[in-house]
Amino acid sequence: MEWRDEGIILGLRKHGETSVIAEVMTKAHGRHLGIVRGGRSKRLQPVLQPGNSVDLVWRARLDEHLGQYQVELLNARAGRLMESAIGVHGVQAMAALLRLLPERDSHPRLHDAFAIILDSLDTPEEAGALYVRFELAVLEDLGFGLDLSACASTGVRTDLIYVSPKSGRAVSADAGAPWADRLLALPAFLPDRTQACTDSQMLDQAFRLTGYFLGRHVFEPRGVEPPISRESFCAAALRAMPQPEPIHPSVQEPIS
């Protein structure tokens, strides 16, 4: 058996004296493991760093075997990612999310999104919002996608400011007003891609939204804790965002 693909390094573990088992998010073959002979050498260590894109040739006698990789560097991101907390924790947090997927299950959209976000982690004002969209895409590929396109109650596509914690569907301001304290906040940049995430409050709402559904549908049923890397990334991304503009009360005329 043999195939060729491109992928992004997620992690490594030692194998024997000089080799490693590389965990790679490939474009066509999903999250896939393979042995890299001599992977601990001075030549290959810089290549096999989390976040780097590589060209892969995988070979095994049978498809179900672990197999071996031959790797060539395509995009060396790791050095740049290590320069900031957002970069370090971002690659770790996304790798943890990808490990929720079944091994060898193809998810080309997630591979491409992973690459795009890794290339944007040095732009703090974009990194958090892109990461949230990545979490939404992972939820969708796991079968728990949210419907943020229209109000679950009325069908309107405007003024969507809530999400139902039960259905995962958007709710408009008018329809959700009686149950506002039971609904999750929906920041405007998620249902409307023409809007940007402009401050830390919006980003925090987005993190809480995806975190709730990841916990409910993924972490809790599997009996696992959310990865520490997610918490660390969220904290770093929030610190990098502007604070929301304070709301000043209107000045009232004195009563004569």
Side-chain angles (χ1 to χ4, degrees), residues 99-116:
R99 292 187 181 105
L100 300 171
L101 303 169
E103 190 181 342
R104 302 190 179 190
D105 194 10
S106 179
H107 294 270
R109 181 182 65 148
L110 290 180
H111 167 275
D112 293 347
F114 189 25
I116 290 170

PDB file of all heavy atoms in Angstrom, residues 99-116:
ATOM      1  N   ARG A  99      -8.059  15.769  17.182  1.00  0.00           N
ATOM      2  CA  ARG A  99      -7.964  14.428  17.769  1.00  0.00           C
ATOM      3  C   ARG A  99      -9.332  13.888  18.182  1.00  0.00           C
ATOM      4  O   ARG A  99      -9.457  12.706  18.520  1.00  0.00           O
ATOM      5  CB  ARG A  99      -7.006  14.430  18.966  1.00  0.00           C
ATOM      6  CG  ARG A  99      -5.559  14.668  18.554  1.00  0.00           C
ATOM      7  CD  ARG A  99      -4.589  14.503  19.714  1.00  0.00           C
ATOM      8  NE  ARG A  99      -3.227  14.765  19.247  1.00  0.00           N
ATOM      9  CZ  ARG A  99      -2.543  15.876  19.521  1.00  0.00           C
ATOM     10  NH1 ARG A  99      -3.090  16.811  20.289  1.00  0.00           N
ATOM     11  NH2 ARG A  99      -1.325  16.049  19.049  1.00  0.00           N
ATOM     12  N   LEU A 100     -10.351  14.736  18.176  1.00  0.00           N
ATOM     13  CA  LEU A 100     -11.705  14.275  18.452  1.00  0.00           C
ATOM     14  C   LEU A 100     -12.292  13.509  17.262  1.00  0.00           C
ATOM     15  O   LEU A 100     -13.278  12.787  17.406  1.00  0.00           O
ATOM     16  CB  LEU A 100     -12.615  15.468  18.776  1.00  0.00           C
ATOM     17  CG  LEU A 100     -12.224  16.312  19.994  1.00  0.00           C
ATOM     18  CD1 LEU A 100     -13.081  17.566  20.051  1.00  0.00           C
ATOM     19  CD2 LEU A 100     -12.359  15.504  21.279  1.00  0.00           C
ATOM     20  N   LEU A 101     -11.684  13.693  16.093  1.00  0.00           N
ATOM     21  CA  LEU A 101     -12.173  13.030  14.884  1.00  0.00           C
ATOM     22  C   LEU A 101     -11.667  11.601  14.821  1.00  0.00           C
ATOM     23  O   LEU A 101     -10.571  11.299  15.303  1.00  0.00           O
ATOM     24  CB  LEU A 101     -11.706  13.795  13.644  1.00  0.00           C
ATOM     25  CG  LEU A 101     -12.105  15.266  13.549  1.00  0.00           C
ATOM     26  CD1 LEU A 101     -11.340  15.940  12.414  1.00  0.00           C
ATOM     27  CD2 LEU A 101     -13.605  15.402  13.326  1.00  0.00           C
ATOM     28  N   PRO A 102     -12.430  10.704  14.214  1.00  0.00           N
ATOM     29  CA  PRO A 102     -11.933   9.332  14.043  1.00  0.00           C
ATOM     30  C   PRO A 102     -10.659   9.324  13.201  1.00  0.00           C
ATOM     31  O   PRO A 102     -10.539  10.060  12.221  1.00  0.00           O
ATOM     32  CB  PRO A 102     -13.088   8.623  13.308  1.00  0.00           C
ATOM     33  CG  PRO A 102     -14.295   9.456  13.577  1.00  0.00           C
ATOM     34  CD  PRO A 102     -13.798  10.870  13.703  1.00  0.00           C
ATOM     35  N   GLU A 103      -9.704   8.485  13.600  1.00  0.00           N
ATOM     36  CA  GLU A 103      -8.463   8.381  12.845  1.00  0.00           C
ATOM     37  C   GLU A 103      -8.741   7.895  11.430  1.00  0.00           C
ATOM     38  O   GLU A 103      -9.601   7.045  11.205  1.00  0.00           O
ATOM     39  CB  GLU A 103      -7.505   7.424  13.560  1.00  0.00           C
ATOM     40  CG  GLU A 103      -6.102   7.415  12.987  1.00  0.00           C
ATOM     41  CD  GLU A 103      -5.191   6.447  13.712  1.00  0.00           C
ATOM     42  OE1 GLU A 103      -5.523   6.042  14.844  1.00  0.00           O
ATOM     43  OE2 GLU A 103      -4.141   6.089  13.143  1.00  0.00           O
ATOM     44  N   ARG A 104      -8.038   8.479  10.462  1.00  0.00           N
ATOM     45  CA  ARG A 104      -8.096   8.136   9.045  1.00  0.00           C
ATOM     46  C   ARG A 104      -9.440   8.485   8.395  1.00  0.00           C
ATOM     47  O   ARG A 104      -9.746   8.019   7.304  1.00  0.00           O
ATOM     48  CB  ARG A 104      -7.767   6.658   8.819  1.00  0.00           C
ATOM     49  CG  ARG A 104      -6.392   6.255   9.354  1.00  0.00           C
ATOM     50  CD  ARG A 104      -5.985   4.877   8.909  1.00  0.00           C
ATOM     51  NE  ARG A 104      -4.658   4.528   9.425  1.00  0.00           N
ATOM     52  CZ  ARG A 104      -3.970   3.464   9.037  1.00  0.00           C
ATOM     53  NH1 ARG A 104      -4.487   2.634   8.150  1.00  0.00           N
ATOM     54  NH2 ARG A 104      -2.772   3.225   9.549  1.00  0.00           N
ATOM     55  N   ASP A 105     -10.229   9.322   9.061  1.00  0.00           N
ATOM     56  CA  ASP A 105     -11.507   9.788   8.506  1.00  0.00           C
ATOM     57  C   ASP A 105     -11.244  11.110   7.788  1.00  0.00           C
ATOM     58  O   ASP A 105     -10.818  12.078   8.401  1.00  0.00           O
ATOM     59  CB  ASP A 105     -12.513   9.974   9.645  1.00  0.00           C
ATOM     60  CG  ASP A 105     -13.930  10.128   9.149  1.00  0.00           C
ATOM     61  OD1 ASP A 105     -14.169   9.909   7.953  1.00  0.00           O
ATOM     62  OD2 ASP A 105     -14.810  10.469   9.968  1.00  0.00           O
ATOM     63  N   SER A 106     -11.491  11.163   6.493  1.00  0.00           N
ATOM     64  CA  SER A 106     -11.116  12.315   5.677  1.00  0.00           C
ATOM     65  C   SER A 106     -11.948  13.548   6.013  1.00  0.00           C
ATOM     66  O   SER A 106     -13.182  13.484   6.041  1.00  0.00           O
ATOM     67  CB  SER A 106     -11.275  11.964   4.192  1.00  0.00           C
ATOM     68  OG  SER A 106     -10.940  13.077   3.389  1.00  0.00           O
ATOM     69  N   HIS A 107     -11.272  14.659   6.250  1.00  0.00           N
ATOM     70  CA  HIS A 107     -11.928  15.953   6.500  1.00  0.00           C
ATOM     71  C   HIS A 107     -11.109  17.038   5.799  1.00  0.00           C
ATOM     72  O   HIS A 107     -10.439  17.845   6.468  1.00  0.00           O
ATOM     73  CB  HIS A 107     -12.011  16.234   7.999  1.00  0.00           C
ATOM     74  CG  HIS A 107     -12.897  15.299   8.747  1.00  0.00           C
ATOM     75  ND1 HIS A 107     -14.245  15.537   8.932  1.00  0.00           N
ATOM     76  CD2 HIS A 107     -12.632  14.102   9.334  1.00  0.00           C
ATOM     77  CE1 HIS A 107     -14.775  14.540   9.617  1.00  0.00           C
ATOM     78  NE2 HIS A 107     -13.817  13.653   9.867  1.00  0.00           N
ATOM     79  N   PRO A 108     -11.141  17.100   4.468  1.00  0.00           N
ATOM     80  CA  PRO A 108     -10.303  18.064   3.748  1.00  0.00           C
ATOM     81  C   PRO A 108     -10.599  19.508   4.094  1.00  0.00           C
ATOM     82  O   PRO A 108      -9.685  20.349   4.110  1.00  0.00           O
ATOM     83  CB  PRO A 108     -10.608  17.761   2.270  1.00  0.00           C
ATOM     84  CG  PRO A 108     -11.915  17.026   2.279  1.00  0.00           C
ATOM     85  CD  PRO A 108     -11.939  16.265   3.555  1.00  0.00           C
ATOM     86  N   ARG A 109     -11.856  19.825   4.406  1.00  0.00           N
ATOM     87  CA  ARG A 109     -12.201  21.206   4.757  1.00  0.00           C
ATOM     88  C   ARG A 109     -11.496  21.618   6.046  1.00  0.00           C
ATOM     89  O   ARG A 109     -10.997  22.752   6.155  1.00  0.00           O
ATOM     90  CB  ARG A 109     -13.717  21.339   4.920  1.00  0.00           C
ATOM     91  CG  ARG A 109     -14.179  22.747   5.270  1.00  0.00           C
ATOM     92  CD  ARG A 109     -15.664  22.832   5.474  1.00  0.00           C
ATOM     93  NE  ARG A 109     -16.098  22.057   6.625  1.00  0.00           N
ATOM     94  CZ  ARG A 109     -17.141  22.392   7.386  1.00  0.00           C
ATOM     95  NH1 ARG A 109     -17.857  23.457   7.085  1.00  0.00           N
ATOM     96  NH2 ARG A 109     -17.488  21.647   8.417  1.00  0.00           N
ATOM     97  N   LEU A 110     -11.427  20.718   7.010  1.00  0.00           N
ATOM     98  CA  LEU A 110     -10.762  21.048   8.265  1.00  0.00           C
ATOM     99  C   LEU A 110      -9.260  21.176   8.076  1.00  0.00           C
ATOM    100  O   LEU A 110      -8.614  22.017   8.708  1.00  0.00           O
ATOM    101  CB  LEU A 110     -11.081  19.993   9.329  1.00  0.00           C
ATOM    102  CG  LEU A 110     -12.516  19.978   9.846  1.00  0.00           C
ATOM    103  CD1 LEU A 110     -12.691  18.894  10.897  1.00  0.00           C
ATOM    104  CD2 LEU A 110     -12.915  21.334  10.423  1.00  0.00           C
ATOM    105  N   HIS A 111      -8.684  20.346   7.209  1.00  0.00           N
ATOM    106  CA  HIS A 111      -7.250  20.490   6.912  1.00  0.00           C
ATOM    107  C   HIS A 111      -6.971  21.871   6.346  1.00  0.00           C
ATOM    108  O   HIS A 111      -6.040  22.560   6.776  1.00  0.00           O
ATOM    109  CB  HIS A 111      -6.799  19.418   5.922  1.00  0.00           C
ATOM    110  CG  HIS A 111      -5.437  19.683   5.339  1.00  0.00           C
ATOM    111  ND1 HIS A 111      -5.251  20.493   4.226  1.00  0.00           N
ATOM    112  CD2 HIS A 111      -4.197  19.293   5.739  1.00  0.00           C
ATOM    113  CE1 HIS A 111      -3.969  20.572   3.969  1.00  0.00           C
ATOM    114  NE2 HIS A 111      -3.308  19.857   4.849  1.00  0.00           N
ATOM    115  N   ASP A 112      -7.776  22.294   5.378  1.00  0.00           N
ATOM    116  CA  ASP A 112      -7.544  23.594   4.739  1.00  0.00           C
ATOM    117  C   ASP A 112      -7.768  24.739   5.717  1.00  0.00           C
ATOM    118  O   ASP A 112      -7.007  25.717   5.732  1.00  0.00           O
ATOM    119  CB  ASP A 112      -8.454  23.750   3.520  1.00  0.00           C
ATOM    120  CG  ASP A 112      -8.095  22.787   2.401  1.00  0.00           C
ATOM    121  OD1 ASP A 112      -7.003  22.183   2.456  1.00  0.00           O
ATOM    122  OD2 ASP A 112      -8.905  22.631   1.466  1.00  0.00           O
ATOM    123  N   ALA A 113      -8.814  24.628   6.548  1.00  0.00           N
ATOM    124  CA  ALA A 113      -9.086  25.671   7.542  1.00  0.00           C
ATOM    125  C   ALA A 113      -7.949  25.743   8.562  1.00  0.00           C
ATOM    126  O   ALA A 113      -7.539  26.837   8.973  1.00  0.00           O
ATOM    127  CB  ALA A 113     -10.412  25.394   8.241  1.00  0.00           C
ATOM    128  N   PHE A 114      -7.443  24.597   8.960  1.00  0.00           N
ATOM    129  CA  PHE A 114      -6.319  24.529   9.895  1.00  0.00           C
ATOM    130  C   PHE A 114      -5.122  25.298   9.340  1.00  0.00           C
ATOM    131  O   PHE A 114      -4.501  26.120  10.038  1.00  0.00           O
ATOM    132  CB  PHE A 114      -5.974  23.060  10.119  1.00  0.00           C
ATOM    133  CG  PHE A 114      -4.981  22.774  11.205  1.00  0.00           C
ATOM    134  CD1 PHE A 114      -4.793  23.641  12.273  1.00  0.00           C
ATOM    135  CD2 PHE A 114      -4.224  21.604  11.166  1.00  0.00           C
ATOM    136  CE1 PHE A 114      -3.876  23.354  13.284  1.00  0.00           C
ATOM    137  CE2 PHE A 114      -3.309  21.311  12.166  1.00  0.00           C
ATOM    138  CZ  PHE A 114      -3.135  22.184  13.221  1.00  0.00           C
ATOM    139  N   ALA A 115      -4.809  25.080   8.071  1.00  0.00           N
ATOM    140  CA  ALA A 115      -3.671  25.759   7.445  1.00  0.00           C
ATOM    141  C   ALA A 115      -3.894  27.268   7.395  1.00  0.00           C
ATOM    142  O   ALA A 115      -2.983  28.058   7.693  1.00  0.00           O
ATOM    143  CB  ALA A 115      -3.444  25.205   6.039  1.00  0.00           C
ATOM    144  N   ILE A 116      -5.091  27.689   7.027  1.00  0.00           N
ATOM    145  CA  ILE A 116      -5.395  29.122   6.923  1.00  0.00           C
ATOM    146  C   ILE A 116      -5.253  29.800   8.282  1.00  0.00           C
ATOM    147  O   ILE A 116      -4.665  30.879   8.402  1.00  0.00           O
ATOM    148  CB  ILE A 116      -6.811  29.329   6.353  1.00  0.00           C
ATOM    149  CG1 ILE A 116      -6.848  28.919   4.879  1.00  0.00           C
ATOM    150  CG2 ILE A 116      -7.254  30.783   6.508  1.00  0.00           C
ATOM    151  CD1 ILE A 116      -8.248  28.864   4.295  1.00  0.00           C
TER     152      ILE A 116
END
